Amino acid sequence: MSLPVNIDQYAEFLPVDSSELRLQLVPEDIIQRVERLRELSSYWRSYPSTSPKELVSRCMQLFHVGKSQAYDDIHLLKILIGNLEATTKEFARWRVNQMIEEDRLAARREGDWRAVASMQKNYILNNQTDKPDTPDMAFEKIVPLQIEPTDDPSVLGIKAPKNLRARRDKLIRLYSKDDEYAEYTEVPSTDDKEE
């Protein structure tokens, strides 16, 4: 059974140098895990198409840890830096821009100006620079509606009848008390019957 992991602690330790962590008297096993997470994070950011299974193999080979520990490290890494498999639109756009720039430079070197123009058109389409920016909706500025219960119908635009509250109180008194005039008889339950 593995011990619970303090994710906030690892997020705090990740950018701190290992020597500083030792000065802070952080346990050595945590420092070693932070170093593994740093290396795996760096590798995964450089090669985002790497599968988690490949990262597990890399972790096992580089750090000589068991398979379950490697899987735990990858799981923690996904929590800390996000799941890079589920690429965001911004990341995909950045990647396409990189590829377009590489192709555009190659086309320029070869003097293929038609391809350069095509790459520039693709760049415009990818970044949507030909369209106006979408307005910021500022959803965080929306104030939730405060609803207060009331018995005053004028808040709905309905004219309140005269003596509304007195009529309401009379009806409450009339229907809320026990009806003492009703005749009833108790019916014995089946448990009370004598045999």
Side-chain angles (χ1 to χ4, degrees):
M1 177 189 248
S2 62
L3 296 171
V5 175
N6 185 343
I7 295 171
D8 295 330
Q9 183 184 43
Y10 279 99
E12 181 185 326
F13 290 162
L14 207 56
V16 180
D17 189 61
S18 297
S19 59
E20 289 180 36
L21 292 177
R22 285 186 181 90
L23 288 174
Q24 296 175 14
L25 303 176
V26 175
E28 192 62 32
D29 59 330
I30 292 179
I31 294 173
Q32 290 173 0
R33 190 170 197 189
V34 167
E35 289 172 349
R36 290 195 306 268
L37 292 172
R38 269 193 219 127
E39 200 286 326
L40 292 169
S41 170
S42 174
Y43 185 81
W44 207 2
R45 288 176 195 271
S46 299
Y47 304 101
S49 61
T50 305
S51 72
K53 197 173 185 179
E54 293 169 330
L55 282 173
V56 167
S57 297
R58 181 174 179 80
C59 184
M60 289 169 61
Q61 290 171 353
L62 283 177
F63 299 105
H64 308 290
V65 294
K67 197 172 201 173
S68 62
Q69 181 63 54
Y71 271 108
D72 281 348
D73 287 350
I74 302 306
H75 178 70
L76 180 58
L77 185 65
K78 282 183 178 184
I79 293 170
L80 289 172
I81 67 169
N83 189 351
L84 294 179
E85 290 177 311
T87 58
T88 62
K89 211 174 197 181
E90 291 80 20
F91 178 77
R93 188 172 288 140
W94 173 83
R95 183 70 183 116
V96 169
N97 283 345
Q98 296 299 316
M99 291 188 294
I100 289 172
E101 184 63 23
E102 290 169 9
D103 293 344
R104 190 183 67 78
L105 290 173
R108 256 183 205 265
R109 279 193 299 271
E110 294 176 14
D112 189 355
W113 303 112
R114 187 173 289 178
V116 170
S118 176
M119 294 300 143
Q120 289 173 338
K121 182 180 176 184
N122 290 339
Y123 185 85
I124 290 169
L125 290 174
N126 184 50
N127 294 293
Q128 299 180 350
T129 55
D130 58 335
K131 297 177 184 174
D133 291 338
T134 57
D136 183 20
M137 300 307 257
F139 290 115
E140 67 277 357
K141 294 180 183 175
I142 296 175
V143 178
L145 181 63
Q146 298 293 325
I147 298 175
E148 292 184 31
T150 181
D151 61 352
D152 183 12
S154 64
V155 296
L156 298 172
I158 300 171
K159 185 178 177 185
K162 291 182 181 179
N163 299 329
L164 175 67
R165 292 209 164 105
R167 289 174 60 194
R168 182 202 67 196
D169 292 340
K170 180 182 173 187
L171 290 171
I172 288 173
R173 280 193 306 275
L174 179 68
Y175 292 111
S176 67
K177 63 181 176 179
D178 291 334
D179 192 358
E180 54 195 53
Y181 301 107
E183 293 183 24
Y184 64 91
T185 57
E186 279 193 38
V187 178
S189 67
T190 55
D191 297 336
D192 295 340
K193 288 186 180 178
E194 294 181 23
E195 294 188 26

